[in-house]
Amino acid sequence: GAVVSQHPSRVICKSGTSVKIECRSLDFQATTMFWYRQFPKQSLMLMATSNEGSKATYEQGVEKDKFLINHASLTLSTLTVTSAHPEDSSFYICSAHDSSSGNTIYFGEGSWLTVV
Amino acid sequence: DAKTTQPPSMDCAEGRAANLPCNHSTISGNEYVYWYRQIHSQGPQYIIHGLKNNETNEMASLIITEDRKSSTLILPHATLRDTAVYYCIVTSGTYKYIFGTGTRLKVLA
């Protein structure tokens, strides 16, 4: 199946700093990518839809100024957590749609963010 | 997209078939049923999907009832590596998946 890669897989940052997480589609082009967050023992929660060449669409309750999303190319979307706080510590996961394989979405391996 | 209901947890003996049910009684005609699983601390892995016909691939089989209000994912010979949380998702193709709570499957040796 299609491969979606995230980097870094784990990151620790200090409170108040910003951290960027990358999501790449390795063997296909993705006009649309999605960002989720997941707290321990909970399900995935959709944060936003990342659209190549246009602004991201955020789900209700997600602060767009805090979670900056950029989708500058057909294979890369980035999520920047700005002014991170300990409560932002979570597992962040991206997904991408491979139009060549129908309607299937493929997920990245996830990125663990710990804010200290 | 329609909502789904799954049992919170299930156990299955290694080597036996694991049958994971999903209720999606409000599914509409153009909505697909997708199954993913998430092994601890990893991103979800695609398993199988279907619209109205039963489907089979190298990982699993998907049985969708004739009225499409429910489906069952079948892992024919469960192994310890199949221990994971299994998610049933119904989507019309917007690719914006809304995850429910899933079923935590534990395969027992």
Side-chain angles (χ1 to χ4, degrees), chain A residues 3 42 55 64 76 81:
Chain A
V3 178
Q42 294 186 24
K55 290 183 179 180
K64 61 179 70 175
L76 174 64
V81 183

Side-chain angles (χ1 to χ4, degrees), chain B:
Chain B
D1 292 344
K3 288 189 175 180
T4 61
T5 304
Q6 299 176 254
S9 65
M10 292 180 65
D11 290 343
C12 175
E14 189 178 20
R16 305 296 293 269
N19 298 297
L20 292 93
C22 179
N23 183 288
H24 32 79
S25 58
T26 60
I27 193 171
S28 59
N30 63 340
E31 290 184 313
Y32 287 78
V33 180
Y34 278 78
W35 283 83
Y36 285 79
R37 70 181 182 185
Q38 186 179 27
I39 296 169
H40 183 61
S41 298
Q42 297 181 26
Q45 176 190 22
Y46 167 78
I47 302 173
I48 199 168
H49 75 279
L51 181 62
K52 58 177 74 174
N53 297 322
N54 297 336
E55 302 287 344
T56 295
N57 63 19
E58 64 278 4
M59 288 183 70
S61 294
L62 173 61
I63 308 298
I64 302 174
T65 58
E66 195 168 337
D67 63 7
R68 304 209 321 123
K69 293 185 176 182
S70 65
S71 61
T72 301
L73 177 74
I74 301 173
L75 307 178
H77 306 287
T79 70
L80 297 178
R81 287 178 295 181
D82 292 323
T83 292
V85 178
Y86 287 77
Y87 294 100
C88 166
I89 298 165
V90 171
T91 179
S92 59
T94 62
Y95 320 123
K96 192 170 87 168
Y97 291 179
I98 304 301
F99 283 78
T101 52
T103 295
R104 190 171 296 274
L105 175 69
K106 183 184 290 186
V107 180
L108 307 172

Side-chain angles (χ1 to χ4, degrees), chain A residues 35-98:
Chain A
W35 286 96
Y36 295 80
R37 69 188 295 182
Q38 185 177 33
F39 293 109
K41 303 204 175 193
Q42 294 186 24
S43 188
L44 285 76
M45 186 196 81
L46 179 65
M47 298 176 66
T49 302
S50 174
N51 305 297
E52 188 268 335
S54 65
K55 290 183 179 180
T57 306
Y58 291 82
E59 295 299 304
Q60 191 171 9
V62 178
E63 300 175 58
K64 61 179 70 175
D65 294 330
K66 180 166 184 63
F67 299 100
L68 301 180
I69 292 172
N70 184 280
H71 193 155
S73 79
L74 286 171
T75 60
L76 174 64
S77 174
T78 60
L79 168 69
T80 301
V81 183
T82 63
S83 186
H85 289 101
E87 56 266 32
D88 297 323
S89 298
S90 187
F91 190 48
Y92 291 88
I93 308 168
C94 72
S95 68
H97 168 236
D98 178 9

